[in-house]
Amino acid sequence: MVNTGLPGRQKRLSDLLEERYPHVICNDGSTHIFKKSELEYLASLLDIDEQKALPLPMLIELGANQAEAAVICEGEIEEKVVSKALNMPVKCKGMRIRIHKPQIALLRKKLKTATVYVFSPRTVTETAKPSSNHLISRPMGK
Amino acid sequence: MPELIRVRPTKIELVKLKRRLSLAQRVQKIVKDRLSILTMEFLQTARDTSEAKRKLLDEFAELYRALSVAAGHHGYMALEKELIATEADLRTTVGSRNIAGVRIPSFELTANTKPKIGYSLANTSSWLDRTAQLSEESLRAIVQLAELQRSFDLLAMEINRTKRITNALEYIVIPALQATISYLNMKFEERDREEKARLKRVKVLVAQG
């Protein structure tokens, strides 16, 4: 029930930058709109190829371990974005970037519409096995 | 003492109750997580709202100062005459976004690609330009504040709702399930003891017989 507002599909940053009203459709049928200022901020951090590869919105997974969360990532691009947003180096392990609770607030402050929360009953761990290799075509929140 | 759930005292019901308890505990964990995230977002929104309000008041003060100077320089009549033809082509993108299951409105003032100045630049001073620029900034701040204020209200309402769910789970649902499970366990133990006593009695009677 808490994950019903998740986007049905992620879109690439380059595609969103071209849209007049950048948005994604959520599983409950509503729309999640992106702020153009945030997309421009993300575009300023990345080059053209990276913009084509960055899936949005980025998913922040909250597991049973309340002290930590993880940003679900495909590769180094999310790592770069999160590093620059938090102003500190982060590492992507097992398709997850582990961050602490206070860092979520920092990340959310900079990327309000470009990130969404996913609630997961399992513990967020380094060795968490990814459910899919290709997030872009994966329906979420089911 | 929590109220017992009315169920038939059978093993199947006990298994069902145990499953319900495990589910309720998992849901409680997720709901608590959600509550902590909503609280974090609420506090951040509160900070942003207060900052946006302060910024808006500062901008208004500066705007009125600039407007007073412009009015003093041109005179009210001349200023009104100049501004009567001013057209503000302002567009706001309105949508919604999702924070942990809460639909929050999102407003964004769409920037004009070609800013249209309605008044004559030749007949007016730079004070009026400054006033126009400050009023645009104030509009942006108003839109931002509107979004934050609404988010603040919606998040507060959702926190209250989630707190009620957490409390219901913590103080009513889970204790009731635990009490019922423990009651059923005791009932089954009692049945076992009765069965043992009955068998002993039958054994004695058979031995005597």
Side-chain angles (χ1 to χ4, degrees):
Chain A
M1 196 184 81
V2 288
N3 287 333
T4 49
L6 278 181
R9 296 206 185 284
Q10 287 170 304
K11 283 185 183 175
R12 301 290 180 192
L13 173 62
S14 54
D15 298 336
L16 288 168
L17 282 167
E18 282 168 17
E19 284 182 21
R20 193 176 175 195
Y21 302 110
H23 70 281
V24 285
I25 306 290
C26 300
N27 283 330
D28 59 358
S30 59
T31 52
H32 175 89
I33 204 150
F34 293 93
K35 288 208 169 182
K36 282 203 169 172
S37 52
E38 266 178 46
L39 297 179
E40 280 156 14
Y41 166 70
L42 285 171
S44 71
L45 301 177
L46 305 169
D47 60 40
I48 304 288
D49 290 335
E50 286 170 333
Q51 286 173 20
K52 282 179 188 164
L54 180 70
L56 288 176
M58 286 194 279
L59 306 172
I60 301 173
E61 187 187 35
L62 298 154
N65 179 6
Q66 291 209 357
E68 282 182 349
V71 178
I72 300 175
C73 61
E74 280 182 18
E76 288 172 1
I77 304 143
E78 286 94 338
E79 202 179 286
K80 191 175 172 182
V81 169
V82 176
S83 298
K84 289 201 176 167
L86 296 177
N87 205 12
M88 61 172 278
V90 289
K91 263 273 169 263
C92 173
K93 280 180 190 172
M95 291 184 85
R96 301 281 191 281
I97 300 168
R98 286 172 75 197
I99 52 172
H100 294 281
K101 271 272 167 77
Q103 291 170 332
I104 302 176
L106 282 175
L107 189 64
R108 288 281 301 165
K109 197 178 176 183
K110 285 192 179 165
L111 304 169
K112 269 184 188 169
T113 57
T115 52
V116 287
Y117 294 113
V118 184
F119 292 92
S120 160
R122 65 184 175 78
T123 311
V124 175
T125 55
E126 271 181 32
T127 50
K129 207 178 170 186
S131 55
S132 167
N133 287 330
H134 202 54
L135 281 173
I136 204 90
S137 59
R138 180 169 58 97
M140 290 171 291
K142 299 273 174 169
Chain B
M1 180 75 186
E3 207 173 296
L4 292 178
I5 302 165
R6 281 189 179 188
V7 285
R8 278 180 300 137
T10 58
K11 293 264 181 186
I12 289 174
E13 288 296 337
L14 181 67
V15 171
K16 277 185 189 170
L17 283 175
K18 280 183 178 171
R19 274 188 204 152
R20 270 176 70 185
L21 178 65
S22 138
L23 181 70
Q25 281 168 339
R26 273 167 59 200
V27 169
Q28 189 197 19
K29 253 183 198 170
I30 292 175
V31 171
K32 270 191 172 173
D33 246 11
R34 185 170 180 247
L35 184 64
S36 77
I37 286 296
L38 286 174
T39 312
M40 190 185 80
E41 289 283 342
F42 176 77
L43 292 174
Q44 186 59 47
T45 312
R47 276 193 288 270
D48 290 349
T49 309
S50 129
E51 201 179 306
K53 262 185 191 169
R54 193 183 44 75
K55 192 180 152 198
L56 183 65
L57 288 175
D58 289 349
E59 278 176 4
F60 269 162
E62 208 177 332
L63 171 64
Y64 281 121
R65 212 175 298 133
L67 186 65
S68 306
V69 173
H73 188 269
H74 295 282
Y76 275 111
M77 294 296 279
L79 195 66
E80 270 184 31
K81 202 178 143 192
E82 285 297 335
L83 293 180
I84 212 154
T86 310
E87 262 184 52
D89 187 20
L90 295 167
R91 280 169 186 275
T92 314
T93 309
V94 181
S96 65
R97 61 196 171 95
N98 180 46
I99 302 176
V102 192
R103 307 281 341 147
I104 299 286
S106 172
F107 307 136
E108 198 173 28
L109 203 64
T110 314
N112 281 335
T113 45
K114 283 179 191 172
K116 195 171 182 180
I117 300 166
Y119 53 85
S120 153
L121 287 172
N123 300 332
T124 52
S125 68
S126 62
W127 290 109
L128 193 57
D129 298 342
R130 174 87 181 128
T131 311
Q133 188 199 339
L134 283 171
S135 61
E136 258 184 43
E137 279 169 24
S138 302
L139 270 172
R140 216 169 284 278
I142 289 169
V143 170
Q144 194 197 359
L145 184 62
E147 182 191 327
L148 286 168
Q149 194 80 56
R150 187 69 189 133
S151 308
F152 185 74
D153 293 346
L154 287 171
L155 283 170
M157 277 194 282
E158 192 61 26
I159 285 172
N160 274 338
R161 210 173 71 90
T162 315
K163 262 189 188 167
R164 279 203 297 275
I165 295 171
T166 320
N167 286 343
L169 281 168
E170 196 171 342
Y171 298 110
I172 297 168
V173 178
I174 292 175
L177 284 167
Q178 282 169 337
T180 315
I181 287 169
S182 131
Y183 168 75
L184 287 184
N185 277 332
M186 282 195 292
K187 190 128 188 157
F188 294 141
E189 279 168 17
E190 184 60 29
R191 259 189 213 166
D192 282 350
R193 279 194 292 274
E194 273 177 16
E195 185 68 16
K196 267 184 194 167
R198 200 177 60 84
L199 284 174
K200 271 185 187 171
R201 179 79 186 135
V202 169
K203 211 175 170 183
V204 169
L205 285 175
V206 168
Q208 281 175 356

